[in-house]
Amino acid sequence: MSTAASLDRRARRRRQTIDEILDAALRLMEAEGVAALSLSAVAREVGMQPPSLYQYFASKMAIYDALFRRGAEQVLAVRREAARTADTDDLLELDLICLTAVSRWAMANPVYSQLLFWRTVPGFEPTPEAFAPALEVMQELRDHLRATVDAGLLHPDAATEDGVALYTSITAGVLSQQLANEPEATFEQGRYTRLLPVVLEMFHQRYAPPRG
């Protein structure tokens, strides 16, 4: 029991240190730019020598990878919570609720957004493990579009790969414009984010169900 408890405490301390390193990296990326991350700067931020940092992350890309996974897990959790707590049975309305929740998260977390949605770090490619939650997000979007088609609310083409590509292109485009032009605005105040319901309605109209 004593050995097991000791190992458990050691694991908790390691997890805590890893979280502190990731939080420090996030702060530095916010201040200096996502692609400007430096391992030595991260080490200074958490009060350790650079060689000690390698006990937790083998490279700068490993830090990016861990942050990508953390961000993708947050997006997945936000989308699921929005769907779980939505007070509607209307699948089109639910679409806007989930999209709004994820968009709010993206605006509140611009560093994660750059890492997840735009290729701001040359040479970075998330590992399959880090990318897995992002794939879950996309699968849940596909499942939702398919359910909306099955309910007769959208044309079957909305649930195709082209439909999903159009959906993500126009919605991500709104966020990209907002973060590029008015990064300090709130979701409600944003010149572009205010258009999100309009953009989504355009998608729904593009894939209106067949008449009859």
Side-chain angles (χ1 to χ4, degrees):
M1 288 293 294
S2 177
T3 301
S6 177
L7 290 173
D8 189 50
R9 284 196 299 271
R10 193 174 305 146
R12 285 200 303 271
R13 284 198 299 270
R14 180 175 177 82
R15 180 69 256 174
Q16 182 179 4
T17 301
I18 287 173
D19 286 339
E20 289 174 359
I21 291 170
L22 294 179
D23 290 342
L26 204 62
R27 290 193 299 272
L28 290 168
M29 290 160 68
E30 185 174 4
E32 301 173 10
V34 173
L37 187 65
S38 160
L39 285 181
S40 58
V42 174
R44 286 195 300 272
E45 185 76 8
V46 296
M48 66 172 58
Q49 294 298 316
S52 300
L53 194 63
Y54 288 105
Q55 298 178 25
Y56 302 94
F57 292 99
S59 67
K60 181 168 65 174
M61 292 301 176
I63 292 180
Y64 283 130
D65 195 63
L67 286 172
F68 186 101
R69 180 171 184 169
R70 185 201 262 185
E73 288 173 344
Q74 289 183 21
V75 172
L76 182 60
V78 164
R79 179 180 173 83
R80 287 178 173 173
E81 180 65 11
R84 186 186 69 81
T85 58
D87 187 22
T88 182
D89 294 325
D90 185 329
L91 291 175
L92 296 181
E93 185 179 357
L94 181 61
D95 196 3
L96 179 58
I97 290 171
C98 292
L99 179 59
T100 298
V102 171
S103 299
R104 286 181 185 277
W105 177 90
M107 286 195 63
N109 298 275
V111 172
Y112 280 126
S113 296
Q114 291 179 58
L115 196 57
L116 288 169
F117 307 132
W118 297 281
R119 290 182 175 268
T120 50
V121 181
F124 171 66
E125 192 80 24
T127 61
E129 293 77 14
F131 200 60
L135 291 178
E136 288 190 64
V137 172
M138 290 305 299
Q139 187 57 52
E140 291 195 2
L141 172 59
R142 291 186 180 92
D143 291 344
H144 176 79
L145 290 174
R146 171 51 58 190
T148 310
V149 167
D150 292 343
L153 299 174
L154 290 177
H155 190 281
D157 288 349
T160 65
E161 286 305 303
D162 281 350
V164 173
L166 179 60
Y167 184 104
T168 55
S169 295
I170 60 177
T171 54
V174 169
L175 288 173
S176 179
Q177 285 287 82
Q178 185 61 57
L179 289 171
N181 292 283
E182 296 178 342
E184 303 302 325
T186 66
F187 180 87
E188 289 78 14
Q189 295 170 339
R191 175 184 174 189
Y192 300 95
T193 47
R194 288 201 307 267
L195 298 175
L196 203 58
V198 178
V199 168
L200 191 57
E201 184 180 359
M202 290 168 61
F203 177 84
H204 292 160
Q205 290 178 354
R206 169 68 179 82
Y207 291 109
R211 299 195 176 198

